Amino acid sequence: MVTQVKDKVKGAGTLVSHVSDVLRQAILNGEYAPGDKLPSEAQLTEAHGVSRTVVREAIAFLRYEGLVEARQGAGVFVMEPSRLSFSPRNTNRARLSSDLEVLEIRTPIEIEAAGLAAQRRSPAQEEQIYDHHAMLFACIEAGNSIREADLALHLAIADATNNPLFRQYLETHGNAAIPQSKIVNGNKAEAETAYRRLIHQEHEKIVLAISNGDEEAARNAMRDHLKGSQIRHRSLLREEHLGRSIGQ
């Protein structure tokens, strides 16, 4: 039974990644030009042989990267090149400062979201939160990036508030909504894995508090998680500053 659950989780995560990768490549290759409308949710569901949930999560990741935008009542459209915010870059001071600014705004909003999720989540929403938390762990175990799984978990928590503005906030802040998961420099695989496991543990406290309907614990766990992220980013800023000073 445990093996079946793990296979299901890994399979769902793989499908979301596959669909998002295919659409991302199509956009970057020019198959979908800026201003073009993507196929409808129903068309994508049929074309890729996946569920609507998988398609929605895949589109959410593209919105998260700033590649597409949703227009109410019209559909999902490819953004203009000048507005594309997706740009894989190395960690630098400007990027970290931007992440810190987002974290400061994000913290009170997501603390409230966690509390409301503990109050309002439905059984189905609670299951979604558990599923996405499991996907995050599966990514860690496989040594894969946790960015998509991280965002999916926070979106599931936002959905559990039953207030669509929480999801909208996360989706419309581009790739800065979820700061980079790789906080260590260089190819330090062990340090990176340790960092990801720490993130998983912090998320686990949030998930359990929401499942238990403990509003106060959910708020505290989310506060600790996001405050911890701020501390870790500031620490990296200091390290980079000292490194640059020594190199001068």
Side-chain angles (χ1 to χ4, degrees):
M1 179 62 71
V2 173
T3 300
Q4 291 177 345
V5 171
K6 286 185 177 179
D7 288 343
K8 178 183 177 182
V9 168
K10 291 180 181 178
T14 300
L15 287 174
V16 172
S17 295
H18 172 72
V19 175
S20 62
D21 287 346
V22 170
L23 292 175
R24 184 185 299 107
Q25 198 59 46
I27 292 171
L28 296 178
N29 288 342
E31 184 177 336
Y32 296 115
D36 282 355
K37 179 180 177 180
L38 292 185
S40 68
E41 184 178 288
Q43 290 172 324
L44 289 173
T45 296
E46 182 176 357
H48 294 278
V50 297
S51 68
R52 286 179 177 266
T53 298
V54 168
V55 169
R56 288 169 187 162
E57 294 295 347
I59 294 297
F61 294 144
L62 297 181
R63 293 178 64 181
Y64 163 67
E65 294 171 349
L67 286 170
V68 301
E69 64 179 354
R71 300 174 188 171
Q72 188 170 5
V76 179
F77 294 81
V78 178
M79 293 178 66
E80 296 294 332
S82 61
R83 298 178 60 194
L84 292 180
S85 62
F86 176 71
S87 177
R89 292 171 291 181
N90 293 325
T91 300
N92 55 50
R93 188 178 182 86
R95 176 68 264 152
L96 289 170
S97 296
S98 176
D99 285 345
L100 281 171
E101 291 166 353
V102 172
L103 277 169
E104 288 180 351
I105 299 300
R106 176 186 163 196
T107 296
I109 293 174
E110 289 222 66
I111 289 173
E112 180 66 14
L116 290 174
Q119 289 179 354
R120 302 174 177 175
R121 83 270 181 238
S122 68
Q125 289 168 335
E126 184 176 346
E127 183 176 348
Q128 281 292 306
I129 291 173
Y130 269 118
D131 283 347
H132 287 302
H133 186 239
M135 288 179 192
L136 182 63
F137 183 72
C139 288
I140 294 172
E141 290 293 287
N144 297 329
S145 169
I146 64 172
R147 288 182 67 90
E148 292 185 351
D150 190 318
L151 176 63
L153 175 58
H154 283 271
L155 286 173
I157 292 172
D159 287 340
T161 67
N162 290 298
N163 179 336
L165 293 182
F166 283 102
R167 170 178 271 268
Q168 181 180 329
Y169 167 79
L170 285 179
E171 289 183 335
T172 57
H173 276 72
N175 60 5
I178 305 293
Q180 62 203 31
S181 61
K182 185 176 180 180
I183 239 5
V184 297
N185 290 317
N187 297 317
K188 302 177 181 177
E190 291 185 5
E192 185 175 339
T193 298
Y195 170 76
R196 289 176 173 179
R197 289 186 183 279
L198 174 61
I199 297 300
H200 174 74
Q201 291 168 3
E202 291 178 351
H203 283 145
E204 186 170 53
K205 293 180 181 179
I206 300 169
V207 170
L208 290 175
I210 291 174
S211 179
N212 290 333
D214 191 332
E215 177 186 354
E216 182 178 0
R219 290 176 188 274
N220 289 337
M222 183 65 81
R223 180 182 295 107
D224 290 344
H225 171 51
L226 296 178
K227 290 292 186 181
S229 292
Q230 291 184 43
I231 291 172
R232 289 185 288 269
H233 278 71
R234 287 193 171 93
S235 176
L236 189 55
L237 270 176
R238 287 194 294 269
E239 289 178 11
E240 183 169 320
H241 174 72
L242 289 174
R244 292 170 67 180
S245 297
I246 292 173
Q248 292 177 348

